[in-house]
Amino acid sequence: MGVAGGWIAVVFMAVSLAGLIAVHLLPTGIAPLRDPVSQYHLTRFRPVILVATLSAAVSGVGAILALTDLVGPSAVVSDVLLGVFVVARALIPFLRMDPPGSRVTTVGRIHTVLAFAAFGSAIAVAFVAGGFLHDAGYPEVATWSSVLGGVGAIGAVGLLIGAIVRRQNLLGLFERLIYAGFIPWFIMIGAVAITVGAS
């Protein structure tokens, strides 16, 4: 199951990445430095970001299989975190953010909670899995896992500081740093599982 999970993680995260790149190149009117990725769901290009978001959720399922194969029973905590990521990413497209300037709704609040759950679990799993990967005999992978977790953590800290000082002009930039951390992490875990399974 490890190899199959690896391919699922790699292929579907690659699809997700392609969708994200596409919406950033399309004429959406969204400012990447300021606006969150979820705002693409409010544009006419929603089908593209919908595929990207759901593909990331499927990739998470593959990562559960891949990581479990790599580190064994020790993966249980990481798998729980990945499960949170999968559920959050799967629900986010259907519980969309409130349009900028509109009143806050219950659905909008739920969307925010899901976004925090997805980002938080993706960052946490990179750090948690790093230790188990090291113990399982993959020190280089463990190092990169921690590095990528750190990239995501920097983005999360940036979002937090922006919320505290009530300056959201770089919200989009910091959010995309989180993506820059977890997208290569999923691809890396998948690729390692494929390589190990083929050896």
Side-chain angles (χ1 to χ4, degrees), residues 57-81:
V58 177
S59 178
V61 175
I64 291 174
L65 298 174
L67 195 58
T68 300
D69 187 67
L70 289 172
V71 305
S74 300
V76 63
V77 176
S78 300
D79 288 348
V80 170
L81 290 169

Side-chain angles (χ1 to χ4, degrees), residues 1 6 11 50 67 81 122 143 152 160 175 179 182:
M1 293 296 286
V11 171
L50 176 64
L67 195 58
L81 290 169
T143 298
L160 181 60
E175 187 186 80
Y179 279 83
F182 79 72

Side-chain angles (χ1 to χ4, degrees), residues 67 71 74-75 77-79 81-82 123-136 138 141-142 145-146 185 189:
L67 195 58
V71 305
S74 300
V77 176
S78 300
D79 288 348
L81 290 169
L82 286 168
I123 293 168
V125 75
F127 288 116
V128 172
F132 294 125
L133 286 163
H134 184 276
D135 294 343
Y138 307 103
V141 180
S145 186
S146 297
W185 186 86
I189 294 300

Side-chain angles (χ1 to χ4, degrees), residues 35-123:
D35 300 324
V37 171
S38 289
Q39 202 164 320
Y40 290 113
H41 284 285
L42 305 178
T43 71
R44 62 192 174 97
F45 298 106
R46 169 171 158 72
V48 180
I49 195 64
L50 176 64
V51 170
T53 306
L54 294 179
S55 293
V58 177
S59 178
V61 175
I64 291 174
L65 298 174
L67 195 58
T68 300
D69 187 67
L70 289 172
V71 305
S74 300
V76 63
V77 176
S78 300
D79 288 348
V80 170
L81 290 169
L82 286 168
V84 171
F85 175 86
V86 169
V87 173
R89 295 308 285 176
L91 291 176
I92 278 175
F94 308 105
L95 296 163
R96 288 183 276 180
M97 66 175 283
D98 296 320
S102 67
R103 67 182 182 84
V104 178
T105 66
T106 300
V107 171
R109 289 192 183 97
I110 294 173
H111 175 91
T112 300
V113 171
L114 290 172
F116 275 109
F119 292 151
S121 59
I123 293 168

